[in-house]
Amino acid sequence: MAGFTPLTGGCLCGAVRWQVDGDLGTMSHCHCSMCRKAHGAPFATYVSAASGDFRWLSGEESITTYESSPGFVRAFCGHCGSVVPDPPDEEDHVFIPAGCLDGDPGVRPASHIFAATKAPWHIIGDALPRHDAYPNPDDGPDIDRPAQGAAQGGFLHGSCLCGDIAYEVTEPLKTVHNCHCTRCQKARAAAHTTNGFTSAGGVTFVLCEGDSPASNVSQYIEHYGPGVQHIALEVVDQDDLIVELGDRGAALLSGIFSGAGIRQSFTRRDERTGLQLEFVSRTDNADFDDGNVADLFMIMEKENVF
């Protein structure tokens, strides 16, 4: 097509990549509880494309699926967890999470769907049409939403979509902000995410089970029991730190991971507690580089780090 520029997208770690070679269809914001949990965001934004115009560039073998309700399959990268395009529907359309697109798709959201079940703390601030469910009843079936687990009185409760991991926030959130960085857009496959911050002791995991014995969570709990897995600390000089940690006998992963504007190093998990420390230093305000994240995941998998 003369003058047409293909649109590309990908997950956070860069393993899964795709391209659209035709015009996009309708874009909409979905506020249903399943999309909110699947994306870890206040809403999910999807845009449709004809399946004939869509193709995978890489990483199709890395895609994992989860059937969140009968006949409704959600796809995500098995390495970094980013939501990726769903399989084609009966009308031969592909629905693409807009947060994972690399550039401006040229279309804008037309409406909010499932606005009746939006997050109670989220304010819809635009004048787009709002629908309590699907705009057209033929667009999809009514689906029972996942039940909320019981939380102790006065605590915030949260969980993943499948319910295997649940937690309680037992202290007031110190701050809450909307983050539009490319890392959050790709990680959550959403326009932005909303993050709340509290102390490390303010979150209690009340259920932590993996579907697979090989999952990160399952392996961690099997070896160490429930607890804090990871703490990130900002440092000034990675090279001096590595030397000092080595002198003190700390067990480290392979060297320093370098990317655009950032350098990272990691300790191995403590044999008694399972805690791993990450040391981060920034050389500018650049976001994480996709290649750097992919290299990090590959090395951690190679060394069987969970």
Side-chain angles (χ1 to χ4, degrees), residues 13 59 94 97 103 155 229 260 275:
C13 71
V94 176
F155 294 160
Q229 281 186 292
L275 180 65

Side-chain angles (χ1 to χ4, degrees), residues 205-287:
F205 286 91
V206 295
L207 178 64
C208 206
E209 298 178 357
D211 284 337
S212 167
S215 72
N216 181 299
V217 171
S218 295
Q219 291 186 68
Y220 179 87
I221 293 178
E222 180 182 353
H223 282 78
Y224 307 109
V228 177
Q229 281 186 292
H230 187 99
I231 295 177
L233 303 169
E234 187 170 8
V235 299
V236 175
D237 192 317
Q238 289 278 356
D239 298 292
D240 286 349
L241 175 69
I242 292 297
V243 172
E244 182 175 349
L245 290 175
D247 291 342
R248 292 173 177 265
L252 303 171
L253 291 184
S254 301
I256 297 173
F257 304 95
S258 298
I262 191 168
R263 305 182 79 204
Q264 300 160 274
S265 56
F266 299 81
T267 65
R268 292 189 177 276
R269 293 204 182 280
D270 182 83
E271 294 181 356
R272 296 170 300 169
T273 66
L275 180 65
Q276 180 185 47
L277 300 179
E278 173 188 1
F279 304 100
V280 182
S281 57
R282 293 183 178 273
T283 56
D284 55 39
N285 292 323
D287 290 329

Side-chain angles (χ1 to χ4, degrees), residues 49-103:
S51 60
D53 293 331
F54 177 90
R55 60 190 176 99
W56 299 107
L57 298 178
S58 65
E60 191 173 0
E61 71 282 355
S62 298
I63 296 174
T64 300
T65 58
Y66 171 68
E67 188 173 10
S68 58
S69 55
F72 195 98
V73 176
R74 296 176 182 269
F76 58 95
C77 173
H79 298 292
C80 66
S82 294
V83 177
V84 299
D86 295 327
D89 65 10
E90 294 180 356
E91 296 180 357
D92 214 22
H93 288 92
V94 176
F95 292 91
I96 302 168
C100 282
L101 295 175
D102 295 328

Side-chain angles (χ1 to χ4, degrees), residues 164-230:
D164 274 355
I165 298 176
Y167 57 88
E168 293 172 351
V169 182
T170 57
E171 295 180 3
L173 296 176
K174 296 179 179 179
T175 184
V176 178
H177 64 223
N178 296 328
C179 185
H180 297 258
C181 79
T182 56
R183 297 192 306 278
C184 280
Q185 288 177 30
K186 293 267 187 180
R188 310 300 177 86
H192 67 79
T193 190
T194 303
N195 295 319
F197 295 86
T198 186
S199 69
V203 177
T204 300
F205 286 91
V206 295
L207 178 64
C208 206
E209 298 178 357
D211 284 337
S212 167
S215 72
N216 181 299
V217 171
S218 295
Q219 291 186 68
Y220 179 87
I221 293 178
E222 180 182 353
H223 282 78
Y224 307 109
V228 177
Q229 281 186 292
H230 187 99

Side-chain angles (χ1 to χ4, degrees), residues 6-9 17-21 53-57:
L7 183 66
T8 58
R17 300 281 301 162
W18 62 85
Q19 181 171 306
V20 180
D21 295 312
D53 293 331
F54 177 90
R55 60 190 176 99
W56 299 107
L57 298 178

